[in-house]
Amino acid sequence: MPHRIAIGLFALVAAFGMTIAGTHAFDDSLYPDWSGGWMRMGSGNFDPSKPRGMGQQAPLTQEYRAIFEASLADQDEGGQGSNPGYRCRPHGMPRIMIAIHHMLFVTLPETTYVLREVGTQLRRIYTDGRDWPANPQPATTGYSIGKWIDDEGEGRYDTLLVETRGLKGGSSYDSSGLPMHKDGGAIIKERIRLDKANPNVLHDEITTIDNALTRPWTVTRSYTRNRNPSWVEYNCSEDNHHVVIAKEDYILREDGLLMPVRKGQKPPDLRHFQQR
Amino acid sequence: MVDRSAIRMIAITAALLAAGVAAQAFDETKYPNWKGQWVALDGNENSPWDPMRPAGAGQQAPLTAEYQAIFESNLRDLASGAQGADPTRRCIPAALPRVMMAIRPMEIVVTPRETYFMLEQFSTLRRVYTDGRKFPDDFETSFVGYSIGEWQDTDGDGHFDALVIETRGIKGPHTYDASGIPFHKDGEAIVKERLFADKTNPNILHNEVTTIDHALTRPWTVTRSYRRAEQPQWSEFTCSEDPNYVQIGDQGYKLSPEGLLMPLRSGQQAPDLRYFK
């Protein structure tokens, strides 16, 4: 209840301030300072507190646990399993919030943008009070609606609550291929706020509700701030060494020649070429 | 408890009111309203860079003799069925200035220190610094380059109405358009832009783009224009490489309907498979 009062008064202040100034001034002091570049803390496993693969203890259904085990077995043999990222398919939500490269927040009253170096996938988190659209076009980043709250009751927003729907199915949580359901029905809830003791650390408590899970799965990712980051452009397609021919994955060496990804893999069929 | 909270909130409110809106306010009214979704007035992936001229040789790009020869060779390559020099066919992003054709929607987000161009095509993000900085001595090249902008009040009415941008450090490979009009390989192109709303229609934005490049005999100026969508809808761009084509080293090959490798041109040799036993 106190929070509702606070936000109500913010709105009053904002409205009154606009009347005084006669402008559309955006008072960014009402929002937390999330400027700079944010980079992951901990490992690239989706749950950084647990080991990779089965060690993640993801609460998968039996069906999806079998898919995951097959993915891990394929990766042990040199394949890519059910990791869709290796051929430059976008990582999507919630995987992109691992933040293996810098991410940047741009906060405006109606939208908070999450800008990322990797694959430059953009998240728009609408904070303008809108409702869910009837038929959002599925996307790997989904459709996100957020709400700023004053969790501490200090008279300014400190936490962004986000809910994301409308995801494309078939993503994975991390490079191990830990699978999400193919139906695209996942809902992801996030609670993003600065660490209470260290303003250069940001936490994102991510809860995924998905039909491939037996229960909601909550993981907390954290990020460290670089006040003056050097932004680097990263485009997966520019230097991708994976080639798929007749559904078989091969690797391109630096010298441009094909090589197998697993022991005993047969070469591509060259029947359409004249014999040398 | 509620009363105490309410009292505390009223005190905070009073403090905020006392501080007024001066604190860290971003006065949006100083800047033009370019919110919303912008998309090229017309065109598609195969449209020419200069929308006023025919594609290919009809563009009359002021290329040096050396680069004119490269371009003509590329046109012959395209005519033979090959992919040509257009890197976007291999899912390499359309670099600057080509990405500003905005054949898919873009959003322009203005903040006091930076203006962002969020382009749907290749999910490209341009960051234009408007904080008064100079070009750094050393910076990493990228497909969108390093951009510094300046807001201008050209009609003296107290509001910015034009954004002037200079971009350097643009990485290749890149071409002006799908026909493969080339840039110099030295990566020293400088792109100057001037964005401004149409004087009679605020839902039309013009971008006067001038490219200075060693592959050109003179600066080449082209004006691209965009219209604002009434009901924006954003899509996710996922580049799909041509499913009938594969690049192995410096050679391109076709894939047959059953996915087998095929030569792209008569007499083309099969890939070297020496690493298979």
Side-chain angles (χ1 to χ4, degrees), chain A residues 6 9 13 16 26 28-29 110 113 120-121 124 137 139-140 153 231 233 235 237-238 243 246 253 255 276, chain B residues 8-9 13 17 21 24-26 28 35 91 93 107 123 127 142-144 171 235-236 246 259 270 273 275:
Chain A
L9 290 173
V13 171
F16 188 55
F26 163 42
D28 55 10
S29 68
E110 62 272 20
Y113 301 88
T120 61
Q121 268 198 293
R124 285 184 184 84
Q137 190 172 16
T140 60
W231 295 103
E233 188 178 62
N235 286 285
S237 299
E238 188 185 359
V243 174
R253 287 168 44 97
D255 57 12
R276 293 189 184 190
Chain B
R8 187 163 58 127
M9 288 306 109
T13 306
L17 285 170
V21 290
Q24 290 179 299
F26 165 38
E28 292 183 89
K35 290 184 177 181
C91 290
E107 182 172 10
S123 306
R127 185 184 285 107
S142 65
F143 289 116
V144 292
K171 182 171 74 174
S235 300
E236 185 171 57
V246 66
L273 301 178
Y275 294 108

Side-chain angles (χ1 to χ4, degrees), chain A:
Chain A
M1 182 62 94
H3 303 162
R4 284 190 191 166
I5 294 170
I7 301 305
L9 290 173
F10 287 162
L12 178 65
V13 171
F16 188 55
M18 283 169 65
T19 305
I20 292 173
T23 68
H24 296 282
F26 163 42
D27 187 355
D28 55 10
S29 68
L30 292 179
Y31 296 83
D33 172 17
W34 291 357
S35 61
W38 296 93
M39 180 85 90
R40 80 167 191 218
M41 297 171 75
S43 74
N45 305 323
F46 184 62
D47 185 342
S49 69
K50 293 180 179 171
R52 189 175 192 272
M54 298 308 291
Q56 288 281 287
Q57 298 174 23
L60 292 170
T61 62
Q62 207 167 12
E63 177 189 357
Y64 276 83
R65 184 181 174 87
I67 291 171
F68 185 34
E69 285 171 347
S71 171
L72 291 171
D74 186 53
Q75 291 188 350
D76 283 346
E77 292 290 315
Q80 293 296 320
S82 51
N83 170 25
Y86 84 105
R87 283 285 295 161
C88 298
R89 188 178 161 197
H91 288 179
M93 278 293 291
R95 182 173 174 180
I96 57 173
M97 295 309 287
I98 293 175
I100 58 173
H101 288 226
H102 278 123
M103 62 180 175
L104 166 74
F105 292 87
V106 176
T107 301
L108 294 178
E110 62 272 20
T111 309
T112 291
Y113 301 88
V114 186
L115 312 175
R116 301 170 58 260
E117 284 179 343
V118 174
T120 61
Q121 268 198 293
L122 163 71
R123 288 188 71 190
R124 285 184 184 84
I125 301 171
Y126 299 109
T127 54
D128 55 0
R130 71 179 60 192
D131 205 349
W132 296 103
N135 295 301
Q137 190 172 16
T140 60
T141 50
Y143 191 99
S144 297
I145 291 179
K147 182 181 179 185
W148 286 100
I149 62 169
D150 172 19
D151 205 26
E152 296 292 317
E154 290 181 341
R156 65 186 62 198
Y157 298 121
D158 52 38
T159 303
L160 179 59
L161 303 180
V162 188
E163 183 168 322
T164 299
R165 303 181 187 181
L167 291 158
K168 277 184 183 168
S171 295
S172 70
Y173 291 88
D174 59 26
S175 63
S176 70
L178 184 49
M180 298 181 75
H181 202 284
K182 291 176 183 171
D183 66 6
I187 296 174
I188 297 166
K189 299 188 178 189
E190 296 169 273
R191 184 181 185 87
I192 310 173
R193 61 162 298 149
L194 291 174
D195 186 89
K196 289 183 181 177
N198 184 350
N200 291 319
V201 170
L202 188 72
H203 302 294
D204 186 5
E205 185 187 276
I206 307 168
T207 298
T208 305
I209 301 157
D210 184 42
N211 290 327
L213 300 174
T214 57
R215 58 173 170 79
W217 187 26
T218 299
V219 162
T220 298
R221 300 290 323 185
S222 298
Y223 318 98
T224 183
R225 173 162 25 204
N226 182 343
R227 291 276 183 188
N228 294 296
S230 175
W231 295 103
V232 178
E233 188 178 62
Y234 175 85
N235 286 285
C236 178
S237 299
E238 188 185 359
D239 192 30
N240 192 293
H241 289 248
H242 294 273
V243 174
V244 177
I245 301 167
K247 298 181 180 176
E248 275 289 309
D249 184 34
Y250 303 94
I251 288 281
L252 268 180
R253 287 168 44 97
E254 289 297 329
D255 57 12
L257 300 186
L258 278 181
M259 64 179 287
V261 296
R262 63 175 70 87
K263 194 176 178 183
Q265 186 179 19
K266 289 183 179 177
D269 185 328
L270 299 181
R271 73 179 70 169
H272 293 296
F273 290 85
Q274 293 176 347
Q275 296 295 319
R276 293 189 184 190

